[in-house]
Amino acid sequence: MRRVEVLHIYHTNDVHSHFEHWPRIHQLVTERRKWHEQEGDEFFLFDIGDHMDRWHPLSDGTRGKGNCGLLNESGYDAVTIGNNEGITLSYDELDSLYDSRQFKVLVANLYREDGSRPDWAVPYETYITKSGTRIGVIGLTINYVHFYDLLGWKATDPFEELKHCLKMLKDQTDIIILLSHLGINEDERIASSFPEIDLILGGHTHHILHEGKLVNNCLLGAAGKHGLYTGHAILEVDPSTKQIISKKALLYDMNKWDPAENEQAETETLYRSGKELLQRPVAYLKEPLAAKHFEDSPLVTLLCETLLEWTGADCAFLNAGLLLDGLQKGEVTDFDLLSICPHPINPCTVELNGAELKEVLLQTLDEKWPHMQIKGLGFRGTVMGIFTYQGIRFSPLASSGAEIHIGNEPLDMKRTYTLGIPDMYTFGRFFPAIFRSETKRFFVPEFLRDLLKQKLMQLYK
């Protein structure tokens, strides 16, 4: 009787450049690879996207190439991309991100504008084990169509691409694994709709599946975010029939894992290396520029002024919590700007009629905002802070519905206005009128800190 074939599949997702536990993850997967190969078992290692996040100086300074190097060092077999790789880099930066890769990049639903696939990506890869079991691995990423269009890429429907990949892999594989940066709801939908898929390793929504989840006999695995967990799926296969006998999923809590040797020194080196790359001078300040969350401050005002100028809007507002700190007297560097404004948030405009604009502006006066804690939507700070306005003036009784001026004129209820905002307001449901608006314009690939950088270079050469 032949020995059961065992496939050990390790996976990470949504690390977001949180490298605090990366040495532990590296040590875990490196040791496990040796163990399993010594036992004659199969070992695979996959990342499910958003490994990179430009809040970290190494990721920002190398435009993600530092992350690619870490994946190489840990011996990843394949990765798919997340939205942080896909839409927080310029076209050329993404196109060169994986130049030094030693792994496959699997993404079936991303194309160049002419319909060709990028040179660095393939829709799927087939692996053949020592026993001859054929494993098809497909990659899909969230299709933020509009943003990819603006950047010069073409993102397509992941379900249609999945159907095509499954058709191509039919009769050519015994096991199918999906690397899905689509989120838990879509993963469950796929598992219900495509019984030929055996294992879905997911990400994007930062969900944690401690023992996996079976949906329609498809096993779902996911490891949360920020490298807090490393995932491990185990498939037992009958080597004669190539049928899966059993499947299970585990998560290893990296907080409870033994620290790697020189762990703190390694993470500090990664940070310091990025910081050194970002020591490019931007401006020289003769006086500090303060940024405060709960009262008006000059640097927040300057950022709002710049947002208005950049977008060419009629008026603009933003929340003070977007700036984590002010700038000190003396030389200002790219690292300083990253430190105080780490968010992958782009400038945006939205068209609203006067009644809608009034609704939004009165909502900004609500006392709930300044201390509201926000997570996600690209925001890398803590609290919203007060709102700062440009081209907008409230009368003393505006909160009770009295007069609001846009520019030098009273707000006209029937007029259409262009409002400049951080794009995070369009994703969350903070302001229903903004969320509903069908006329939004996103300015990419510039982040808010890029706008601030240009303004500082103009004013403080």
Side-chain angles (χ1 to χ4, degrees):
M1 184 174 179
R2 296 186 65 186
R3 177 179 181 271
V4 170
E5 182 177 36
V6 184
L7 312 181
H8 294 277
I9 303 155
Y10 289 79
H11 56 100
T12 53
N13 62 271
D14 298 281
V15 172
H16 284 281
S17 294
H18 281 265
F19 300 135
E20 298 89 344
H21 295 324
W22 187 254
R24 301 184 191 191
I25 295 173
H26 173 82
Q27 178 174 278
L28 168 64
V29 298
T30 302
E31 288 181 349
R32 291 299 179 88
R33 181 190 298 273
K34 293 178 182 177
W35 292 5
H36 298 316
E37 290 179 349
Q38 286 173 359
E39 290 295 316
D41 295 337
E42 300 290 338
F43 175 95
F44 297 94
L45 178 58
F46 302 122
D47 185 76
I48 323 299
D50 277 2
H51 188 276
M52 184 208 78
D53 193 311
R54 286 179 55 190
W55 76 268
H56 193 285
L58 180 68
S59 300
D60 195 52
T62 65
R63 292 301 193 264
K65 290 182 172 65
N67 296 74
C68 182
L70 294 175
L71 292 166
N72 282 339
E73 290 170 8
S74 295
Y76 277 73
D77 294 290
V79 308
T80 193
I81 69 168
N83 42 287
N84 271 268
E85 287 90 4
I87 62 173
T88 71
L89 298 172
S90 70
Y91 180 94
D92 289 337
E93 288 165 351
L94 175 56
D95 204 31
S96 63
L97 172 58
Y98 298 109
D99 283 353
S100 63
R101 70 191 181 281
Q102 296 169 14
F103 48 83
K104 295 288 185 179
V105 181
L106 309 180
V107 53
N109 61 319
L110 184 68
Y111 297 86
R112 300 189 191 276
E113 285 183 324
D114 63 5
S116 65
R117 291 192 185 276
D119 302 336
W120 43 268
V122 292
Y124 55 82
E125 181 70 9
T126 302
Y127 301 89
I128 301 177
T129 70
K130 292 184 290 291
S131 296
T133 302
R134 302 167 300 174
I135 305 168
V137 184
I138 303 167
L140 293 173
T141 194
I142 188 75
N143 60 329
Y144 287 146
V145 175
H146 184 57
F147 286 94
Y148 278 110
D149 283 347
L150 291 173
L151 288 164
W153 297 100
K154 179 182 178 183
T156 55
D157 185 327
F159 277 75
E160 292 303 313
E161 296 292 349
L162 180 58
K163 290 176 184 177
H164 178 71
C165 290
L166 292 173
K167 182 179 179 181
M168 297 297 292
L169 291 173
K170 186 178 181 181
D171 300 326
Q172 297 184 26
T173 54
D174 305 299
I175 295 171
I176 292 180
I177 299 172
L178 174 63
L179 312 184
S180 166
H181 196 86
L182 300 177
I184 182 62
N185 292 333
E186 298 300 273
D187 290 351
E188 291 182 351
R189 181 181 164 202
I190 289 171
S192 299
S193 303
F194 300 97
E196 56 267 60
I197 299 176
D198 299 289
L199 174 65
I200 299 176
L201 302 177
H204 183 58
T205 45
H206 300 176
H207 49 291
I208 300 171
L209 301 176
H210 286 284
E211 297 179 346
K213 182 176 183 180
L214 271 177
V215 178
N216 194 28
N217 202 40
C218 176
L219 180 62
L220 276 60
K225 65 177 181 178
H226 297 175
L228 296 176
Y229 297 93
T230 300
H232 180 192
I234 303 168
L235 307 183
E236 292 188 336
V237 181
D238 185 321
S240 58
T241 64
K242 309 303 182 187
Q243 297 295 307
I244 295 176
I245 301 169
S246 70
K247 58 177 87 171
K248 67 177 181 179
L250 308 167
L251 288 183
Y252 301 115
D253 188 338
M254 292 293 100
N255 280 315
K256 298 178 180 178
W257 211 253
D258 290 338
E261 186 178 355
N262 299 320
E263 179 175 271
Q264 185 174 348
E266 284 188 36
T267 56
E268 289 175 354
T269 296
L270 294 176
Y271 193 89
R272 186 170 58 251
S273 296
K275 181 178 179 179
E276 290 172 358
L277 291 171
L278 295 175
Q279 291 301 328
R280 298 180 293 261
V282 169
Y284 188 89
L285 300 182
K286 295 183 179 179
E287 299 293 337
L289 284 174
K292 300 182 179 181
H293 289 168
F294 306 118
E295 60 184 271
D296 291 334
S297 55
L299 192 58
V300 176
T301 298
L302 182 63
L303 179 58
C304 196
E305 289 174 356
T306 307
L307 175 64
L308 180 64
E309 293 173 9
W310 184 278
T311 59
D314 298 307
C315 54
F317 72 85
L318 52 77
N319 57 298
L322 286 165
L323 292 181
L324 309 189
D325 203 349
L327 293 171
Q328 300 302 311
K329 176 182 176 180
E331 186 176 79
V332 176
T333 67
D334 280 322
F335 176 77
D336 296 323
L337 296 182
L338 174 66
S339 299
I340 68 167
C341 194
H343 331 278
I345 292 177
N346 306 103
C348 173
T349 59
V350 58
E351 288 188 6
L352 303 171
N353 64 39
E356 293 169 327
L357 180 57
K358 180 178 180 180
E359 173 192 327
V360 169
L361 294 178
L362 293 182
Q363 287 171 343
T364 67
L365 301 177
D366 194 308
E367 294 180 357
K368 70 179 181 182
W369 293 111
H371 294 277
M372 181 182 290
Q373 295 186 354
I374 302 297
K375 292 183 179 180
L377 308 176
F379 188 63
R380 303 291 188 259
T382 53
V383 298
M384 284 287 283
I386 66 170
F387 286 102
T388 295
Y389 309 89
Q390 286 294 312
I392 299 165
R393 180 167 55 85
F394 297 94
S395 72
L397 299 177
S399 60
S400 61
E403 193 170 86
I404 299 173
H405 279 71
I406 304 300
N408 297 319
E409 301 292 332
L411 187 149
D412 183 342
M413 294 295 181
K414 297 181 180 180
R415 178 182 163 186
T416 297
Y417 292 92
T418 302
L419 172 66
I421 52 174
D423 68 8
M424 64 180 279
Y425 302 164
T426 69
F427 307 133
R429 298 178 184 255
F430 302 125
F431 306 105
I434 289 177
F435 187 80
R436 292 193 305 265
S437 174
E438 296 181 356
T439 310
K440 302 181 180 81
R441 181 186 177 192
F442 299 91
F443 295 77
V444 296
E446 295 84 7
F447 293 157
L448 292 178
R449 65 175 174 270
D450 295 316
L451 275 62
L452 187 58
K453 175 180 178 177
Q454 292 203 19
K455 176 57 69 172
L456 291 171
M457 291 175 69
Q458 292 173 6
L459 295 177
Y460 303 101
K461 293 182 180 180

